[in-house]
Amino acid sequence: RDGELTLARLIYTNGKYVMHLLRGEAKQPPKWEECGWDAPAPQLPSLEVKLSCPVREFADKVANQHIIVSYGDNYDTIKSLCDILGIEVI
């Protein structure tokens, strides 16, 4: 579905946890086919996301292709939890 998103990824690096946290805006993507499938490929679930930061900044911090997506602006709530738990937000 379309709408405001919060994206989060908990990372363990250099002996501590950090949270990669940012906002985004979702919209339905155009039809596409996953590489490696014979046509017609199944339509897999996906979203097109406009990030709240430049793509390069996101790519410099991303630790994995698996990112938790929640609908709505949950940034401040997740950041508050990280502050309580002593987890740095990047």
Side-chain angles (χ1 to χ4, degrees):
R1 77 178 204 221
D2 295 353
E4 198 171 30
L5 298 174
T6 304
L7 299 94
R9 171 69 181 178
L10 186 62
I11 306 157
Y12 187 74
T13 184
N14 299 322
K16 67 176 188 169
Y17 286 101
V18 296
M19 180 71 77
H20 185 191
L21 186 62
L22 67 151
R23 295 175 177 96
E25 187 75 26
K27 71 176 196 173
Q28 294 302 306
K31 296 269 185 205
W32 63 281
E33 290 190 353
E34 181 80 22
C35 292
W37 292 81
D38 292 332
Q43 289 296 298
L44 302 173
S46 64
L47 283 175
E48 184 174 318
V49 178
K50 180 179 179 188
L51 302 173
S52 62
C53 65
V55 172
R56 184 68 188 167
E57 181 181 327
F58 171 79
D60 286 344
K61 295 177 184 176
V62 74
N64 195 304
Q65 73 271 27
H66 300 283
I67 297 174
I68 301 300
V69 174
S70 62
Y71 280 94
D73 183 354
N74 302 302
Y75 186 98
D76 291 339
T77 302
I78 297 170
K79 170 115 176 40
S80 293
L81 177 61
C82 289
D83 291 344
I84 291 167
L85 297 173
I87 297 172
E88 176 188 1
V89 171
I90 59 169

